[in-house]
Amino acid sequence: MRSSTSRRADLAPIRRLVLILAFGALAAPLSSPAATGNGWFSGNCLSSTEPFPEHSQRLLLRVLTDPLDPGIDAVLLREPNGQLYAAPDLYAHLQLLPAGPARKVGLDAWFALDAIEQLRYQIDACAQTLSVDRSRVGATRRYVVSAGTDRPAPRSELGGYAQTELQYLTGPDTDVLSGLLDVGVFGTLGLAHSTALYDGEQLLRLDSRYSHDDPGDLRRLSIGDGITRGGVIGRSLRFAGVQWGRDFSLRPDLVTFPLPVIDGVAALPSAVDVYVDNQLRARQDIEAGPFQLSQVPVIAGSGEIQLVVTDLLGRSQVLRYDFYVTPALLSPGLDDYTLEAGFERRRYGQASNRYGRGFAAATWRRGISNQLTGELHLEGSDQRQVAGAALSAQVPVLGVATVGLASGAGDSSGGLMSVSAEKQWQHWSYALDYQRASRGFVRIGEREPGVYKRDSLRLSWHPLQTGSLSATWLDDERVDGSGVRGIALGYSQRLGADWFLTLGGFSDQRRHDHSYFAGLTRPLGRSLSGNLSYDQDEAGGTTRLLVQRNAPDVIGWSARAGIEQGRTERYSAAAAYANSAAQIGADAESREGDTALRLNLQSGVTWLGQDVFVTRPLSGPFAVVETGEVANVRVYTEHRLAGDTGDRGALLVPGLRPYQVNSVSVAEEDYTVDQRLNRFDQSVDLPGYGGVRVVFVPDARVSRRLLLRLGDGTAPPPGADVLIDGSDDRQFTGYDGETLVVADPGLHRLRAHWAGGRCEVDFELGADDTVSRPPLALVCGWAP
C-alpha cells in the first residue's frame, strides 16, 4: 500500500493540468471591457458575461501591479459568489496585509481581496491576467529621505602628547615669559589629559579630566574638571567631579529636532524630487499607493517644500507644503540627559585646587511630540536645592515658545520664571526673552542672584542675500539696581561686487551712553583684505585702518598691519607662519610713544604606536598619513595643504573633525609614472580624541608596455580589446599594436580581439618591470 505522500506526489502533475484546463474552459466568459494596455486593466475578450463556478475553483493567473510590471504567476481561489481569494505569499508580493478571516481549503489558507478597502482588481480571462491597483489602499509606505549613516565607531591607537604655547612679552615695565601646557594619553579606553598655566611666576593647574565616549549610545563619561549643563533653568558652572549623559556631538550627522513629514498618494510607481525653497535637496523612488516622506533635509526656520512626483508614464504633479523646524525641539521619543556630581570650582585660573561645596545635578529633556518637548532640572547641595521644569512648544504664528519655572529651597528662596519665543521666516526673524526671579533665588555656584529682571527682543530683517537689518531691545536689571537698558541697531549691505558696509549703534537709556560704529571692507585678492572703520562713544571717536592677509591653506603665513587715530594713537603690525611642526608669530605695537613686542611659539610632541612626531598643537583628533617608501608627498585635508610626508614618508595632520568623514588626499603629481596608487584620496572617520592611520600604499602590481605583432608581422588594429587572465581590467591597443598592462609579477596570458579577428600570447612580467622600460615585443598568435 502506497503512502498518502506518494499519492499526492503522483497527483501533482494531474492537478496542475486540471487547473489549466479548468481555467481554459472559463477563459472566454470571464472578461469585462476595460482600458487597453499591456494586460493591466485591459479587456480583450468578446463576451462580458461573468458566470461563477458551482464550487471553489483555482485559477492560474499572471498578476500585474502596473502597466510596466512583468508580473508573476500565482494560483488564486475563486468562490461561487464571485469573491477572489489569494494566498499569503501573493499578499507579501503586493506589499499588502491580508484582511478578514482566512478561508481554509485543506491545509491552505486564503484571504479575500475584497476585504481590503479601496483595492481594485480585474481578471482578463483571455490574457490570463489579474490586474491589481493598490494606489488607493490606506496602508502608507514610509520612506526616509535623509538619514544618518550607521558606521562603526572609529577607535584610536595608544598614544599621547605634550604641547605648549609659549609667549614672551617685552615693553615698558614688562618683561615676562608665560605659557600654556597640555599633556595627555589616549587609546581605546578614552582620553586623560591635564592643562596648566604659567603666568611668569607660578604654575597653575587649569583642568584635569578623563573622558570616555560611547558613540553607539551617544553617551560621554567625564571624570575630573568640567562644566555643568544647566538647560533652561540652571546655569553653567565649573566643577570637579563626575559627569555622564547624552552627547549628540558624537553623531554630528544625527538630526535631533523634528523634521517635516510629507504625505501623498501615487497612482503608479514614481520618482519624487524634493525641493526646499526652490533648491533640489533629495530624490526618492516610491511604490504605488499612499506614501510618507520623513526626515526631509531642511535647515532651521520656515520655508516651502515642493514635491515633484513623476510616474512611470511620465506624468508629473507638484505638491507644496509649508514647514517650520527648530533645534529647540527634540524628535518624539528622543531623550537628552546629564547627571553631574562633584564640588564647585572656585578662583579658576588663579588657584590650582580651590573647591567649594559639594552638589549634584540632573537635567532631562524629552521629545513628547513633533510640537512639544519637556525638560526637568534638579540641583542641590547640603544648604541649597533648586527644582525646575520647562516646556517648549511649536505655536502657530509665534514659532517656538518655551516656558520654564523653578523654585528654590534652603538658602535659596522664591523662584524663577522664564518665557521665550522665536521664529525664523524666509526674510525676517524675531527672538523674545522674558525672565523674572525673586531677590533671594540663587542657584548652585551663585553668591547673588544671577537673574533678577531681564527682557530682550530682537528683530531681524534680511530681504536679500546681500544685506540685513536688525534691532535689539535689552533691559537687564540686577538686585542692586545696576544693569543695562537700551537698544542696539545693526545694518550690513553688500555694495557692488567687492565692498561690504556695516553700520551699528547702541543707546544705553540707564547710563545715558551712546555709541556708533561704521565699517567698510573690501577684499584685495584671494587672501588679502582691507577694512576702514570708525566708532564714536562718550569718550570721543576713533578711526581705524587695517590690512590683513590670511593664510590660504593650513600651511603658510599670515600678516596684518593697522593704524588707529582718535582717542589714542596706535600703530601695530603682526606676522605668523605655520608648518607641520610648529606655528611661530610676532607682533609689535606702538601706543602714545611706548612700544611693546610679543613673540609666540606653538608646538608639541605626539606619539602614536611606535611613531613620534613634532607637530602643531592638537585641537582634536588627528591622522597619521603614511606614503611608505615614497617621500616628500604633499598631503591635503578638504583640499587644503596640510604639509608633506618628508623623508620618512609620514605626516601627522591635526585639527580634523571628530566623528565625521574627513577627506584626506595626496598630490598625484608627487608620484612618478612607475609609482602607481589605487587611489589618491580617502574618506577617514575619526574618534573624538587620539589618532588613526591613513595609508597610501603603492600598487604592488607592475606595469609594462607591450608591442603586439601578428604572425605576418602586422599589428592588431588600434582599439582592439586586450584582457589579461585573472584580471577584469580591460585595456586596448594603440598605434602600431602598443598596449599597457598592469598585473602581478609572473606568467600571464594575453587575449586580444577585434572585429574580424583575435589572438593570444603568453608572456612573463618581472618584479623590476616599469612603464619607463622599452616595450616588450610579443608575437600574438591567431586564436580560433
Side-chain angles (χ1 to χ4, degrees):
M1 181 176 180
R2 294 187 301 176
S3 67
S4 60
T5 303
S6 300
R7 187 181 302 113
R8 284 197 298 270
D10 292 343
L11 292 176
I14 300 175
R15 185 174 299 173
R16 285 197 294 269
L17 179 60
V18 170
L19 285 172
I20 295 174
L21 292 176
F23 180 80
L26 292 173
L30 281 182
S31 82
S32 59
T36 60
N38 68 337
W40 195 66
F41 282 94
S42 64
N44 300 316
C45 292
L46 298 178
S47 174
S48 61
T49 308
E50 194 171 7
F52 302 122
E54 295 181 1
H55 306 285
S56 299
Q57 190 153 23
R58 303 191 185 199
L59 305 178
L60 180 62
L61 302 175
R62 190 75 171 177
V63 180
L64 309 174
T65 58
D66 62 68
L68 300 183
D69 184 13
I72 64 167
D73 292 327
V75 176
L76 293 99
L77 183 69
R78 185 139 191 177
E79 289 295 307
N81 61 1
Q83 279 195 321
L84 194 65
Y85 287 76
D89 57 348
L90 181 58
Y91 279 96
H93 171 73
L94 298 174
Q95 299 182 4
L96 297 174
L97 294 176
R103 169 85 161 82
K104 288 287 187 177
V105 179
L107 299 177
D108 299 326
W110 304 81
F111 295 87
L113 293 177
D114 291 337
I116 300 180
E117 296 183 6
Q118 301 298 321
L119 179 68
R120 297 172 57 238
Y121 67 89
Q122 178 176 299
I123 294 177
D124 187 330
C126 295
Q128 300 184 15
T129 60
L130 171 67
S131 301
V132 179
D133 180 7
R134 303 166 300 181
S135 62
R136 302 180 183 178
V137 178
T140 301
R141 294 174 179 82
R142 292 173 172 83
Y143 303 88
V144 176
V145 176
S146 174
T149 304
D150 292 328
R151 301 185 299 267
R155 296 294 183 184
S156 172
E157 289 186 46
L158 180 64
Y161 65 88
Q163 58 192 24
T164 184
E165 178 179 352
L166 297 177
Q167 179 177 279
Y168 173 70
L169 177 63
T170 180
D173 303 325
T174 302
D175 191 8
V176 62
L177 175 68
S178 60
L180 288 171
L181 178 66
D182 185 5
V183 295
V185 178
F186 50 78
T188 57
L189 297 180
L191 167 67
H193 76 106
S194 182
T195 57
L197 168 67
Y198 177 69
D199 61 5
E201 297 181 357
Q202 60 178 334
L203 187 66
L204 299 171
R205 187 184 64 83
L206 296 179
D207 294 290
S208 301
R209 179 167 56 249
Y210 165 77
S211 301
H212 174 74
D213 292 349
D214 183 2
D217 291 328
L218 298 174
R219 296 191 184 101
R220 171 171 288 169
L221 170 66
S222 296
I223 301 175
D225 297 299
I227 301 176
T228 62
R229 295 171 57 188
V232 176
I233 302 301
R235 61 175 289 247
S236 297
L237 168 69
R238 289 192 177 273
F239 79 109
V242 179
Q243 185 178 59
W244 175 84
R246 180 64 53 83
D247 193 335
F248 293 125
S249 67
L250 303 182
R251 277 282 304 275
D253 59 337
L254 178 66
V255 179
T256 60
F257 51 86
L259 290 174
V261 177
I262 307 299
D263 296 307
V265 178
L268 299 174
S270 305
V272 178
D273 292 333
V274 182
Y275 291 84
V276 179
D277 293 333
N278 297 318
Q279 294 185 0
L280 180 63
R281 293 295 179 86
R283 284 190 173 96
Q284 181 72 48
D285 293 331
I286 62 174
E287 298 289 339
F291 65 87
Q292 184 181 89
L293 302 182
S294 61
Q295 297 193 29
V296 177
V298 299
I299 59 176
S302 62
E304 182 185 67
I305 295 175
Q306 295 181 354
L307 300 185
V308 180
V309 184
T310 306
D311 62 24
L312 290 175
L313 301 180
R315 299 173 299 187
S316 297
Q317 59 174 326
V318 179
L319 308 175
R320 289 181 170 85
Y321 306 85
D322 293 326
F323 72 87
Y324 182 76
V325 297
T326 172
L329 300 176
L330 287 177
S331 297
L334 187 61
D335 292 298
D336 185 12
Y337 50 86
T338 304
L339 301 176
E340 299 146 335
F343 298 88
E344 303 172 20
R345 187 77 185 269
R346 294 183 177 175
R347 298 188 64 193
Y348 180 81
Q350 299 176 341
S352 297
N353 301 289
R354 187 67 62 86
Y355 302 103
R357 296 183 178 278
F359 74 96
T363 305
W364 176 46
R365 298 178 66 221
R366 181 175 177 82
I368 302 172
S369 68
N370 282 332
Q371 293 78 32
L372 199 62
T373 295
E375 177 180 318
L376 295 175
H377 178 77
L378 301 172
E379 59 182 44
S381 64
D382 58 345
Q383 293 185 340
R384 182 179 304 169
Q385 300 83 40
V386 174
L391 201 63
S392 298
Q394 185 171 334
V395 181
V397 181
L398 290 180
V400 173
T402 300
V403 178
L405 297 173
S407 178
D411 64 358
S412 176
S413 60
L416 167 71
M417 180 179 66
S418 173
V419 179
S420 63
E422 64 175 9
K423 187 170 184 177
Q424 297 180 17
W425 284 267
Q426 186 175 3
H427 295 301
W428 69 282
S429 63
Y430 87 98
L432 171 69
D433 186 21
Y434 174 88
Q435 296 186 50
R436 293 292 186 272
S438 304
R439 291 182 175 273
F441 179 79
V442 287
R443 294 165 292 192
I444 296 295
E446 292 180 339
R447 296 186 177 181
E448 60 181 25
V451 175
Y452 174 61
K453 174 185 176 183
R454 180 176 299 162
D455 302 324
S456 69
L457 174 63
R458 178 185 58 81
L459 300 175
S460 179
W461 181 49
H462 36 89
L464 299 174
Q465 296 181 352
T466 59
S468 65
L469 175 66
S470 64
T472 302
W473 165 260
L474 174 64
D475 186 359
D476 191 350
E477 182 180 346
R478 300 184 179 275
V479 175
D480 60 4
S482 63
V484 177
R485 180 190 297 125
I487 185 171
L489 299 175
Y491 174 75
S492 64
Q493 179 67 49
R494 181 171 183 170
L495 305 177
D498 298 324
W499 295 92
F500 298 87
L501 174 66
T502 303
L503 301 175
F506 180 74
S507 176
D508 190 336
Q509 305 299 319
R510 187 183 298 272
R511 301 177 182 176
H512 302 288
D513 291 340
H514 310 283
S515 60
Y516 311 94
F517 171 84
L520 196 61
T521 302
R522 186 185 192 278
L524 304 174
R526 178 188 174 192
S527 57
L528 193 65
S529 63
N531 176 263
L532 176 65
S533 65
Y534 176 81
D535 66 80
Q536 173 79 41
D537 59 18
E538 299 299 326
T542 302
T543 303
R544 297 180 179 88
L545 175 63
L546 177 67
V547 178
Q548 182 169 321
R549 182 191 189 274
N550 297 317
D553 294 308
V554 178
I555 302 299
W557 65 276
S558 59
R560 61 176 172 82
I563 301 174
E564 181 178 310
Q565 297 287 337
R567 289 167 292 185
T568 59
E569 183 176 330
R570 176 173 173 262
Y571 303 89
S572 64
Y577 175 77
N579 60 19
S580 59
Q583 178 175 316
I584 57 175
D587 62 271
E589 177 180 307
S590 176
R591 184 195 298 257
E592 303 295 341
D594 294 331
T595 301
L597 175 66
R598 178 167 51 200
L599 302 177
N600 181 275
L601 170 65
Q602 300 178 45
S603 186
V605 177
T606 302
W607 59 273
L608 184 71
Q610 302 298 322
D611 299 318
V612 179
F613 301 87
V614 178
T615 179
R616 303 188 309 275
L618 306 176
S619 57
F622 62 88
V624 173
V625 180
E626 298 179 352
T627 55
E629 298 179 356
V630 185
N632 301 310
V633 177
R634 285 169 293 171
V635 178
Y636 295 85
T637 58
E638 308 299 338
H639 309 292
R640 299 181 65 191
L641 181 63
D644 66 74
T645 58
D647 296 335
R648 64 188 294 187
L651 173 69
L652 187 147
V653 181
L656 301 181
R657 302 187 305 272
Y659 300 111
Q660 297 186 55
V661 175
N662 295 259
S663 173
V664 178
S665 59
V666 292
E668 185 174 354
E669 55 269 26
D670 290 345
Y671 288 81
T672 67
V673 69
D674 295 325
Q675 296 168 330
R676 297 179 55 85
L677 281 181
N678 293 331
R679 57 183 306 174
F680 291 91
D681 63 273
Q682 296 188 41
S683 296
V684 183
D685 281 342
L686 290 156
Y689 36 75
V692 297
R693 296 182 186 272
V694 182
V695 181
F696 291 90
V697 178
D699 195 338
R701 299 176 299 172
V702 295
S703 305
R704 187 68 188 270
R705 291 181 295 156
L706 305 179
L707 195 62
L708 302 182
R709 288 291 182 269
L710 301 178
D712 59 1
T714 62
D721 288 334
V722 175
L723 191 64
I724 306 298
D725 59 343
S727 173
D728 294 331
D729 295 334
R730 189 177 298 274
Q731 301 293 332
F732 56 90
T733 57
Y735 176 74
D736 200 28
E738 185 171 335
T739 187
L740 175 68
V741 296
V742 181
D744 294 323
L747 187 64
H748 297 277
R749 171 163 293 186
L750 177 148
R751 293 181 173 87
H753 63 89
W754 59 93
R758 63 180 63 194
C759 69
E760 61 182 34
V761 61
D762 294 331
F763 69 99
E764 186 173 6
L765 290 176
D768 58 346
D769 278 334
T770 63
V771 176
S772 57
R773 294 187 64 183
L776 177 63
L778 299 174
V779 177
C780 192
W782 183 263

